[in-house]
Amino acid sequence: MSLRFSALTVALLACYPVAAEQDIERITVQGDFRKNNLQQVAGSVAVLSEQDLNRQSAQHLDDALLQFANVNFAAGASRGRFLQVRGIGERSEFIDVINPSVGILIDGIDYAGLGISSIAHAEQLEVFRGPEATRFGTNALAGMVNLTSKTPRFNPEGKLSATIANYDSWQLSGFYSAPISEQLAYSLTLDQNRSDGFIDNAHLNRDDTNNIDEFTGRFKLDYQASADLKLGFVAHLIDQQNGYDAFSLDRNRTTLSDEPGQDQLRSKAAAINIDYQGLSRASLQGQISYLNADSDYGFDEDWSYRGIHPWEYSYQDRYLREREQWTLDYRLVSKPAGQLFSNTDWVLGVYASRRDLSLSRQRRAETEWRYFDSTINRENLALYGETQTALSDKLSLVVGGRVEQYSDDYQDSGNISLTPDQTLWGAKVSLNYQLNSQAMLYGLLSRGYKIGGINGEALSKAGEAQFAALADKAAFKAETLLNAEFGVKASSADGSLTSRVAAFYMWRDDMQVKGWINPDLGPEFAGFIDNAASGRNYGVEAETRWQPAERWQLFANVGYLQSKLGQYQTDSGLDMTGRDQAHAPRINYSLGFDWYLSDQLALQAGLQGKSRFYYSDGHNARSDSSELLNLRLSYQLAQWELAVWMRNALDQDVGVRGFYFGNDPRDEYAPHVYEQFAEPRRFGATVSYSF
């Protein structure tokens, strides 16, 4: 009933008379085939501008994601690297190579599985919710996160920002954009972020074992070679030297590790973009990109120290990864004039990628070192297309599809060699009705897919008697998802109110789930990816911005989600059939306001919350519900701005990753819920200078 009421309300707002002289919210979606207004894109897309990110004093993607409806993340590392959209997404990556359900693009370059290290001075952050196979392929079963850094401008501009905060934290960032000539312009964004982190290690008497030390540089160069040809160059550098010491036997922020871990990443990426308008019927757009990344992720597996108890154990785990990838994505995009069919816009493209991945796992069990090495070479080739046909002045039909073939060449130190390959397809059909210039209704049906893979850990341990059951877990199948969605996007006549509502129902087949085998309930265990029979995810997300008065602006983003596991029983005998899926809170919301007390002084506040959710599909441990209050008071004087801010003002413990097992020898390894917590109360000050 509430869904019908919301949709009807927005539709009625759209019937207000059009006031042409008023400015209506104009947000351009960068990640779609065409750069269209957000209010005219069929599908549930949410966008945050740099101003939106500053409003919550967001310093990292973790902070920004809290503002999106039906979006969640999991940590299990120094940062929230694993994303879930509408309850679908991974929560970790150890030995097995996973294909994320929610991909990440930064300036068009594929960072799936690596995360976003910095959002400082971003042009725009977008989240596509629901399968986007036609546009993004196998990396977008549940959605896509798209970050665009500062675009080069021919009018010089720049900004420098400095932040100090509690927990010995500081950040220096800035960007500058300027022309080199009449045809050439560049932008450069730099960010250095450091913090001792929010963990006290009582055994080592240190407060920096979970520290943050991240540098990010992004450079863009645009060259208008001729009236018809525009070229672009993109370069990224990330140097992350974070610690990782997050889990406590006492289930708080005080750890006892004698061998704290690390979460390090060094990546380099470059891309060349082309936009050629010289063809009569279409423009040629594309990008070729390269990325090289080395990561070092490890942790103290026992979370304690030698001598803590006579029944202790001492294990350490470390994962060294190398990744090299080439990606090509080129498409023809029809022009409004001189089309093959006058009432049809179309896109036709080709995508190809090669990704070489290597893993070296080094695990110490007491004094014995165990090693596992694997390599996987993955090649993807896809053809895709989309048409948009005007059936009338107000009604249009969008039809898109993608066919993608992938092949793997897998080898590991256990003399396992496999070469799986498969062809998958995705599609989208959308019927859009433009009620008037302020309101659009749409209904769509889309199909997404995620490739299968190889359970390297299962293969490596299947020969051991206690793990004999893993012999049947050598591989996992591809997952497919069918999404039905209805949405309304509308603005009031004067532009003071903008709303978007989307209702969806998704059917998951061969749903990929994480499973574990722990034969004797001791420190020896093995993980694998399994397939449940099916899954169901349905709900609604709504976003509203309202300016009731000149000095007031209100925001409300609300998500409601129901998710169900299909027929699935864990190897430990738990029947999970019908239970909520992991990391899928039923309710999440973000409420906020801007209050301009004067021309110089502004108060901004935001409240983000989510209901309880299960941490895993393999056990029934759950998080607590949470409410985060963020405050920001800023003063603007000419080109200077001073802001004092507070995040998580209520100092809540918010779980971002959880396990259920026994790991404490002091209580005879009784099982508990062990949680990693997000940041506690943070407060700081930021000074910025714009020029």
Side-chain angles (χ1 to χ4, degrees):
M1 184 68 182
S2 59
L3 171 60
R4 295 175 57 191
F5 176 77
S6 300
L8 178 62
T9 301
V10 177
L12 290 174
L13 287 172
C15 297
Y16 289 176
V18 177
E21 71 277 8
Q22 296 292 335
D23 289 332
I24 297 175
E25 180 185 36
R26 301 291 179 184
I27 300 175
T28 300
V29 177
Q30 303 290 326
D32 207 356
F33 288 132
R34 301 174 186 272
K35 294 183 179 180
N36 290 323
N37 188 303
L38 176 61
Q39 294 296 91
Q40 298 174 334
V41 175
S44 183
V45 185
V47 177
L48 294 180
S49 66
E50 183 179 14
Q51 181 182 2
D52 295 323
L53 296 172
N54 290 339
R55 178 179 296 110
Q56 300 294 335
S57 303
Q59 293 178 288
H60 189 264
L61 183 64
D62 297 7
D63 307 318
L65 289 177
L66 297 173
Q67 299 183 57
F68 294 106
N70 283 334
V71 176
N72 201 8
F73 68 90
S78 61
R79 294 292 202 179
R81 185 181 303 150
F82 305 99
L83 312 181
Q84 301 88 42
V85 172
R86 293 179 174 175
I88 302 173
E90 288 62 46
R91 298 172 303 282
S92 62
E93 182 179 28
F94 294 102
I95 286 182
D96 306 320
V97 176
I98 59 171
N99 194 91
S101 300
V102 182
I104 292 176
L105 294 176
I106 305 178
D107 296 326
I109 301 174
D110 182 4
Y111 279 81
L114 296 177
I116 296 178
S117 59
S118 170
I119 57 172
H121 306 293
E123 185 96 3
Q124 194 160 281
L125 179 66
E126 304 166 350
V127 173
F128 292 77
R129 289 175 292 220
E132 290 285 348
T134 301
R135 173 65 183 91
F136 301 113
T138 187
N139 281 350
L141 177 78
M144 177 65 71
V145 174
N146 182 56
L147 178 73
T148 305
S149 57
K150 285 293 184 181
T151 301
R153 291 176 171 80
F154 284 87
N155 294 318
E157 65 171 298
K159 186 175 183 179
L160 295 174
S161 299
T163 296
I164 57 172
N166 58 334
Y167 296 98
D168 291 328
S169 305
W170 60 268
Q171 181 180 23
L172 291 175
S173 64
F175 83 90
Y176 184 66
S177 179
I180 298 175
S181 68
E182 293 183 355
Q183 297 172 287
L184 193 64
Y186 73 93
S187 69
L188 176 65
T189 303
L190 301 175
D191 178 39
Q192 176 70 63
N193 188 7
R194 290 188 179 179
S195 173
D196 282 349
F198 323 118
I199 293 293
D200 288 322
N201 187 309
H203 174 68
L204 297 178
N205 194 27
R206 290 172 52 188
D207 62 3
D208 62 350
T209 54
N210 202 49
N211 70 301
I212 298 296
D213 184 356
E214 298 170 338
F215 171 80
T216 302
R218 299 188 181 116
F219 176 77
K220 298 173 78 170
L221 185 70
D222 281 356
Y223 176 49
Q224 192 70 47
S226 67
D228 293 327
L229 179 61
K230 182 179 181 180
L231 299 175
F233 174 74
V234 177
H236 297 164
L237 175 63
I238 298 173
D239 188 0
Q240 172 183 301
Q241 302 295 321
N242 296 348
Y244 179 45
D245 183 28
F247 282 93
S248 166
L249 290 181
D250 295 317
R251 303 185 294 282
N252 54 27
R253 298 181 189 274
T254 301
T255 63
L256 300 171
S257 311
D258 57 356
E259 299 173 302
Q262 66 285 333
D263 185 16
Q264 301 175 358
L265 171 69
R266 185 172 178 84
S267 72
K268 304 177 287 293
I272 296 176
N273 301 322
I274 183 173
D275 186 349
Y276 180 63
Q277 301 288 331
L279 303 177
S280 60
R281 295 181 177 177
S283 61
L284 174 64
Q285 302 171 5
Q287 180 187 80
I288 183 170
S289 65
Y290 171 79
L291 181 143
N292 182 281
D294 297 330
S295 63
D296 182 355
Y297 168 75
F299 50 91
D300 190 334
E301 197 171 318
D302 53 273
W303 306 342
S304 63
Y305 57 90
R306 293 182 184 272
I308 188 174
H309 192 274
W311 295 349
E312 70 183 31
Y313 75 99
S314 179
Y315 280 27
Q316 187 183 33
D317 211 355
R318 187 179 185 186
Y319 300 81
L320 299 168
R321 281 188 166 88
E322 295 181 2
R323 169 171 162 180
E324 186 174 33
Q325 71 182 37
W326 288 92
T327 303
L328 178 148
D329 192 354
Y330 277 78
R331 69 186 72 97
L332 292 170
V333 181
S334 65
K335 293 182 176 179
Q339 296 178 14
L340 185 62
F341 304 102
S342 59
N343 64 335
T344 299
D345 293 325
W346 52 269
V347 175
L348 182 63
V350 59
Y351 170 91
S353 70
R354 177 181 173 89
R355 183 178 297 180
D356 298 328
L357 305 168
S358 67
L359 165 68
S360 176
R361 185 194 189 188
Q362 303 170 4
R363 188 174 187 233
R364 181 185 56 75
E366 301 300 346
T367 58
E368 176 191 357
W369 282 95
R370 304 172 185 178
Y371 300 93
F372 177 81
D373 299 307
S374 67
T375 62
I376 183 168
N377 302 316
R378 173 169 292 168
E379 294 182 350
N380 294 60
L381 178 64
L383 297 175
Y384 59 86
E386 184 177 278
T387 62
Q388 180 168 337
T389 303
L391 303 179
S392 69
D393 291 342
K394 294 185 177 182
L395 191 65
S396 63
L397 175 67
V398 177
V399 179
R402 186 183 188 106
V403 177
E404 184 162 357
Q405 193 272 341
Y406 80 92
S407 60
D408 286 350
D409 183 358
Y410 172 87
Q411 299 182 38
D412 66 29
S413 53
N415 295 319
I416 301 295
S417 179
L418 297 171
T419 57
D421 64 86
Q422 193 171 3
T423 299
L424 299 168
W425 63 274
K428 175 182 178 179
V429 178
S430 173
L431 193 62
N432 311 328
Y433 184 70
Q434 196 70 42
L435 190 62
N436 54 42
S437 61
Q438 301 162 247
M440 182 185 79
L441 311 178
Y442 72 86
L444 69 83
L445 190 67
S446 56
R447 185 183 193 270
Y449 57 88
K450 182 171 68 167
I451 63 178
I454 299 164
N455 279 318
E457 186 170 9
L459 289 171
S460 70
K461 292 190 173 185
E464 302 176 27
Q466 59 181 336
F467 293 111
L470 291 174
D472 297 328
K473 307 292 185 182
F476 53 94
K477 295 184 290 185
E479 178 181 348
T480 59
L481 185 152
L482 187 64
N483 172 59
E485 186 172 319
F486 171 76
V488 181
K489 299 186 176 186
S491 302
S492 62
D494 61 359
S496 63
L497 177 62
T498 301
S499 292
R500 292 178 286 274
V501 179
F504 59 90
Y505 197 105
M506 303 194 296
W507 295 262
R508 303 175 67 181
D509 286 329
D510 291 322
M511 173 182 166
Q512 295 177 10
V513 294
K514 184 72 174 182
W516 299 90
I517 289 182
N518 186 209
D520 56 8
L521 302 180
E524 292 295 336
F525 58 91
F528 58 92
I529 299 175
D530 205 355
N531 292 96
S534 63
R536 299 290 182 266
N537 300 61
Y538 54 93
V540 63
E541 47 232 5
E543 300 170 332
T544 299
R545 295 191 181 208
W546 181 35
Q547 187 172 353
E550 182 179 359
R551 294 186 179 274
W552 277 91
Q553 191 169 198
L554 306 177
F555 310 86
N557 302 328
V558 180
Y560 173 74
L561 175 67
Q562 286 280 358
S563 64
K564 300 296 179 184
L565 285 166
Q567 184 176 356
Y568 180 61
Q569 182 171 311
T570 70
D571 281 83
S572 62
L574 284 176
D575 187 358
M576 295 296 186
T577 304
R579 202 209 68 179
D580 287 0
Q581 296 167 23
H583 270 254
R586 292 192 175 186
I587 297 174
N588 81 306
Y589 59 87
S590 176
L591 310 175
F593 70 80
D594 294 345
W595 179 20
Y596 297 94
L597 291 85
S598 69
D599 292 339
Q600 291 80 33
L601 191 63
L603 175 64
Q604 295 158 324
L607 180 66
Q608 286 96 38
K610 65 182 69 171
S611 60
R612 302 180 69 187
F613 58 86
Y614 289 98
Y615 280 124
S616 172
D617 295 322
H619 57 73
N620 286 316
R622 289 201 290 177
S623 73
D624 291 329
S625 60
S626 62
E627 299 81 29
L628 299 180
L629 176 63
N630 302 324
L631 302 170
R632 186 175 189 266
L633 182 66
S634 62
Y635 183 78
Q636 185 86 35
L637 181 62
Q639 296 166 281
W640 291 90
E641 182 188 54
L642 174 63
V644 291
W645 51 266
M646 183 178 294
R647 292 199 303 263
N648 191 7
L650 304 178
D651 199 23
Q652 288 204 351
D653 287 335
V654 180
V656 291
R657 186 74 171 112
F659 299 99
Y660 181 77
F661 58 86
N663 204 39
D664 192 343
R666 300 171 302 180
D667 61 8
E668 301 182 3
Y669 294 104
H672 298 286
V673 180
Y674 291 106
E675 296 176 283
Q676 178 180 349
F677 297 113
E679 65 178 19
R681 181 186 293 121
R682 300 294 311 282
F683 53 86
T686 301
V687 59
S688 301
Y689 177 71
S690 301
F691 56 95

